[in-house]
């Protein structure tokens, strides 16, 4: 009997290690040991013993699932783990898309590429989370944010991703949502030398249909080996390179939806049941992305000391263009009521009593309308007040745009992002005392080549565009259709109607460099107190942002001087339709010709910018964090308890351009604060099958770097002819008085592990957040082309509460009768409710759901594995949520997002596999937002098409 089991175990060993890779080795090795151990303890009949060995030989996607389940079961906190194999199971473009398949996590999409960029954990936006690679806090390269842009990281070359949803004192405390750690492999994750290669090729069907570049490809190579006869030294290295082409098409609201009746300002309540659309853009984005990088790990494992040197580098180079057309009603000057609250006046069309040298003569008295030219009569000459869409500037005004524009604009979307980390450290074991130490550096950069833009606009035209405004048909609210009058039908078809409207060239770059040292000491004890642990950490971050205008102005003295778009020679070709034939599109521009034209105009018409123009958006900052903690781990039979406290002290210094009357130029803003973070975590394991967890913990979130400065950032439109700088369209102000957000968190969960490849769990969580941070924007009237300027400033809210439940099911039907033995199911669901009080006067009593907190998220997968074939059909749903706050308490909402994806794999022999994947089978949207929660008022609707991918993997 014993010889039979040993023979089977050896056969399994030979089968597994013939093509060993990380996924196969880890669990299969433990499976063989478990089988041998079980037989040694109890002698079973031959048939039963053989059945037990068969049950633990797990490979393929069941193996990756089992690895992730085991990591979650061992964890001391509430967590979700995505294994290396799961990261390659679906055609996710980057790690954000991969993370979105874990319980309680939703993805925030990059509107330009259609890829996931940021993640929200349990309804907490990206800025509320902590991000690490191999425990190293990564550099953050968004100029105004602490959230991590994940577009630079491909979902390969990683060992796992762990999302910790509760914290213990030995973890960084600035993670109200959770802590996300990307872990790379080491040679000690393998039992023998390994070499692996992955090749893939795919297409984007939307790009293919439009005749654009549509291909994508990727290569990855991994090597792992122990370097000495006693296997104390190990090295792992991985390289990857990928290139992809895609096209996305979007209809985008141009200007906020407005109420039928005139609104006084951006804070008063308006009627959401009747709102009107100023206009839309149709975007046609062509994107090419290259990603390359890799990681390495050098390790020494000794009897008393372990040492390591680990590094990672990723680079994303994006080359893209966006052509967009613009149908929009324009604001025009209106008669202004003396008493703007008077709602009884007749409409101007009904008040015309004659015509004269000053245009129409109205029946209004000077007591009713402002007589700007002081001639005692109200005429068109008195239309000198702020621009408006409404018939009158005052309560009697109703929606009546009087002119519209049609424009075509081209802009480049180039970007270069890099992220690198390196850390050196180790562990020393001195009897009962264990010391861990780590010195790390992380650097990131986001910026890239110069940005070019050019526009042709009928604003300078006369008839037909100045004779009427636009109305819209929204039979399908995703696709508003302009109702052009008959005499304006040629607007979108004739580029000769469009004169030059301006162009520009600029560049920007953001960098972040982080240096950190941490030291931890653990003293093992006997009895109820299992061990004591204490540690310190120092982290310093240095950030810089530079934005530079290079040129903006006219095409005077160039071959394009005075020429319309149709005469310019810039047109590449005509696109007949977009969004599956719903719209005619028209001319798209040639990138090389546009950049050459702007460079020629720059030489012919050089622009000199002032020091203030060149410096006003620049900023830099330094942040130093000092942290220390102490904890005790207790063990009461099957109950483990960790209790302790962490203290983090933060010092921030920012340098920004300041214009406040008393000072013009660069100025400094300093801030410092201390957070004390106690916590208690308990884990009860009554058996191998059940784990119960509970935690009461505190956490916080630091304000964004730029938010606590006194600086002002100015956003501008592209310069029009005669301008060196375009109109101001937005102003962002800092807030030196911001406090960090602070949270009290409660978590309880129960987990059941019926077998190695199955899990059933339920978790309940509650968060109370004080001083949460949000950005509030409001539009003010201004003498610009748009007629308004949006002014935004970060603020502390009052209190927010989030309560939710997470359900997770993973079940393999292995062992059941055919044909069910090949199938399995995986499903998770997060249901949460939230409310937040902003503290803004005009929102008093009108709580909102927490920003970026969907009420429902779920994933469901049907899996199959048998005869060397694996398949997974996955459906993902992300409910609606507020993206950001907008005027008049009618906020911008992201509508539900749904995706159906397919993965398949065939194993020709151990170590040689081929995959075929399809992303977005239903060809649905990737980004759909609205003004308010109702889908009736579209703001952005973007479709990226389907992606098809074939992947070949070989290992030995």
């Amino acid at each position: 009997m014993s010889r039979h089991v040993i023979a089977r175990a050896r056969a399994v060993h030979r089968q597994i290690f013939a093509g060993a890779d990380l996924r196969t080795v880890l669990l299969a090795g433990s499976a063989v040991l478990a089988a041998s151990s079980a037989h040694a303890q109890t002698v079973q009949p031959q048939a039963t013993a053989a059945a037990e060995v068969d049950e633990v030989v797990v490979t393929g996607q069941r193996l990756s699932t089992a690895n992730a389940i085991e990591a979650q079961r061992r964890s001391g906190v509430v967590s979700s783990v995505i294994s290396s194999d799961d990261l390659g199971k679906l055609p996710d473009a980057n790690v954000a898309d991969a993370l979105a398949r874990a319980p309680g996590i939703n993805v925030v999409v990059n509107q330009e590429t259609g890829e996931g960029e940021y993640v929200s954990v349990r309804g907490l936006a990206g800025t509320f989370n902590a991000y690490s690679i191999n425990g190293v806090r990564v550099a953050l390269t968004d100029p105004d944010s602490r959230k991590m842009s994940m577009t630079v990281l491909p979902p390969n070359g990683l060992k796992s991703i762990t999302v910790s949803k509760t914290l213990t004192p030995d973890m960084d405390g600035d993670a109200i949502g959770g802590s996300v750690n990307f872990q790379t492999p080491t040679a000690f994750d393998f039992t023998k030398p390994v070499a692996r290669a992955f090749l893939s090729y795919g297409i984007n069907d939307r790009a293919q249909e439009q005749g654009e570049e549509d291909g994508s490809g990727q290569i990855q190579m991994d090597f792992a080996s122990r370097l000495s006869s006693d296997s104390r030294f190990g090295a792992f290295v991985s390289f990857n390179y990928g290139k992809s082409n895609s096209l996305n098409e979007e209809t985008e609201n141009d200007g906020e939806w407005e109420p039928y009746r005139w609104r006084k300002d951006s804070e008063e309540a308006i009627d959401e049941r009747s709102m009107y659309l100023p206009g839309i853009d149709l975007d046609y984005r062509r994107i090419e992305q290259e990603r390359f990088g890799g990681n390495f790990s050098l390790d020494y494992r000794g009897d008393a000391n372990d040492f390591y040197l680990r590094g990672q580098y990723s680079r994303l180079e994006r080359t893209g263009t966006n052509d967009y057309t613009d149908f929009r009603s324009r604001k025009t000057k209106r008669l202004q009521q003396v008493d703007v609250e008077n709602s009884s006046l007749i409409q101007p069309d009904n008040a015309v009593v004659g015509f004269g040298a000053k245009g129409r003569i109205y029946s209004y008295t000077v007591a009713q309308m402002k007589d700007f030219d002081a001639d005692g009569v109200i005429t068109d000459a008195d239309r000198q007040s702020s621009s408006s869409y409404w018939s009158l500037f005052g309560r009697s005004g109703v929606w009546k745009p009087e002119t519209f524009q049609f424009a075509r604009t081209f802009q480049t979307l180039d970007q270069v992002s890099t992220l690198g980390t390196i850390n050196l450290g180790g562990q020393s074991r001195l009897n009962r005392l264990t010391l861990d130490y780590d010195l790390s550096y992380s650097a990131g950069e986001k910026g890239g080549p110069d940005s070019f833009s050019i526009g042709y606009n009928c604003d300078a035209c006369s008839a037909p565009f100045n004779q009427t405004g636009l109305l819209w048909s929204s039979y399908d609210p995703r696709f508003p259709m302009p109702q052009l009058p008959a005499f304006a039908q040629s607007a979108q078809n004739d580029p000769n109607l469009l004169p030059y409207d301006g162009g520009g060239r600029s560049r920007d770059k953001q960098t972040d460099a982080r240096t950190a040292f941490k030291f931890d000491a653990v003293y093992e004890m006997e009895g109820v107190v299992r061990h004591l642990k204490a540690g310190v950490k120092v982290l310093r971050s240095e950030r810089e942002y530079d934005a530079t205008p290079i040129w903006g102005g006219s095409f005077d003295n160039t071959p394009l001087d005075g020429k319309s778009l149709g005469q310019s020679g810039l047109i590449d070709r005509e696109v007949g339709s977009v969004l599956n034939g719903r719209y005619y599109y028209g001319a798209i521009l040639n990138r090389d010709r546009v950049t050459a034209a702007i460079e020629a105009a720059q030489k012919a018409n050089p622009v000199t910018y002032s020091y203030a123009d060149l410096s006003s958006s620049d900023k830099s900052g330094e942040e130093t964090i000092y942290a220390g903690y102490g904890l005790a781990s207790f063990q009461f039979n099957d109950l483990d308890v960790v209790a302790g406290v962490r203290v983090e002290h933060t010092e921030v210094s920012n340098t920004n351009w300041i214009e406040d009357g008393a000072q013009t130029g660069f100025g400094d803003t300093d801030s410092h604060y201390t957070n004390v973070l106690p916590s208690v975590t308990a884990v009860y394991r009554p058996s191998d099958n059940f784990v119960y967890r509970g935690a009461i913990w505190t956490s916080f979130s630091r304000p964004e770097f730029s938010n606590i400065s006194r600086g002002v950032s100015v956003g501008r439109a592209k310069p029009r002819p005669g301008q060196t700088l375009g109109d101001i369209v937005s102003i962002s102000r800092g807030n030196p008085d911001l406090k960090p957000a602070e949270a009290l968190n409660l978590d309880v969960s129960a987990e059941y592990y019926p077998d190695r490849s199955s899990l059933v769990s339920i978790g309940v969580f509650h968060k109370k957040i004080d001083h949460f941070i949000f950005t509030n924007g409001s539009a003010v009237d201004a003498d610009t082309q748009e007629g308004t300027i949006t002014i935004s400033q970060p603020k502390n809210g009052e209190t927010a509460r989030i309560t939710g439940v997470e359900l997770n099911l993973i079940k393999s039907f292995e062992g059941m009768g055919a044909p069910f033995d090949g199938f399995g199911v995986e499903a998770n669901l997060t249901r949460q409710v939230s409310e937040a009080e902003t503290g803004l006067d005009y929102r008093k009593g009108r709580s909102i759901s927490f920003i970026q907190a969907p009420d429902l998220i779920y994933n469901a997968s049907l899996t199959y594995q048998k005869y060397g074939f694996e398949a997974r059909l996955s459906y993902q749903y992300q409910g609606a949520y507020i993206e950001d706050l907008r005027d008049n308490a009618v906020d911008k909402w992201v509508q539900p997002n749904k995706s159906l994806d397919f993965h398949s794999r065939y194993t020709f022999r151990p170590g040689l596999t081929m995959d075929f994947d399809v992303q977005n089978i239903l060809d649905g949207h990737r980004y759909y937002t609205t003004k308010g929660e109702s889908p009736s008022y579209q703001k952005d609707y973007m479709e990226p098409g389907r992606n098809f991918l074939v992947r070949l993997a070989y290992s030995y």
Side-chain angles (χ1 to χ4, degrees), residues 237-297:
V237 62
S238 176
F239 305 94
N240 64 79
Y241 172 80
K243 186 174 182 178
S244 65
N245 289 278
S246 62
L247 172 74
N248 73 63
E249 300 168 346
E250 178 179 11
T251 173
E252 180 178 0
N253 168 216
D254 198 336
E256 299 284 351
W257 287 78
E258 299 284 7
Y260 175 69
R261 297 195 175 277
W262 176 83
R263 64 179 175 100
K264 184 177 182 179
D265 54 39
S266 61
E267 296 187 350
E268 70 174 12
I270 62 175
D271 186 356
E272 297 181 42
R273 299 168 300 175
S274 179
M275 294 200 296
Y276 286 74
L277 177 64
I280 66 167
D281 296 333
L282 292 178
D283 294 81
Y284 187 87
R285 298 189 184 98
R286 295 167 282 180
I287 304 291
E288 179 182 278
Q289 297 190 108
E290 288 186 272
R291 290 184 174 93
F292 58 89
N295 56 74
F296 73 90
S297 182

Side-chain angles (χ1 to χ4, degrees), residues 92-95 97 113 115-116 150-156 217-219 239-244 288-294 313-318 417:
D92 298 319
N94 57 54
V95 294
D97 287 327
T113 66
E115 296 180 1
M150 299 185 183
T151 57
V152 70
L153 290 177
N156 53 359
Q218 188 175 74
I219 182 171
F239 305 94
N240 64 79
Y241 172 80
K243 186 174 182 178
S244 65
E288 179 182 278
Q289 297 190 108
E290 288 186 272
R291 290 184 174 93
F292 58 89
Y313 177 80
S314 296
R315 182 179 178 92
L316 167 69
E317 295 183 358
R318 178 185 303 155
S417 299

Side-chain angles (χ1 to χ4, degrees), residues 170-186:
D170 53 348
M171 304 170 70
D172 290 339
D174 57 330
I176 296 177
S179 178
V180 182
N181 185 42
F182 305 95
Q183 189 172 357
T184 60
T186 75

Side-chain angles (χ1 to χ4, degrees), residues 847-861:
S847 61
I848 61 171
S849 60
F850 200 69
I851 299 170
Q852 293 188 15
D855 58 351
L856 179 64
I857 308 169
Y858 63 83
N859 296 272
S861 297

Side-chain angles (χ1 to χ4, degrees), residues 866-883:
K866 200 171 183 181
Y867 309 120
F869 177 73
E870 302 175 20
R872 179 188 296 258
L873 185 66
S874 296
Y875 182 80
Q876 182 182 35
Y877 176 89
Q878 177 179 290
Y881 61 88
I882 295 175
E883 184 176 273

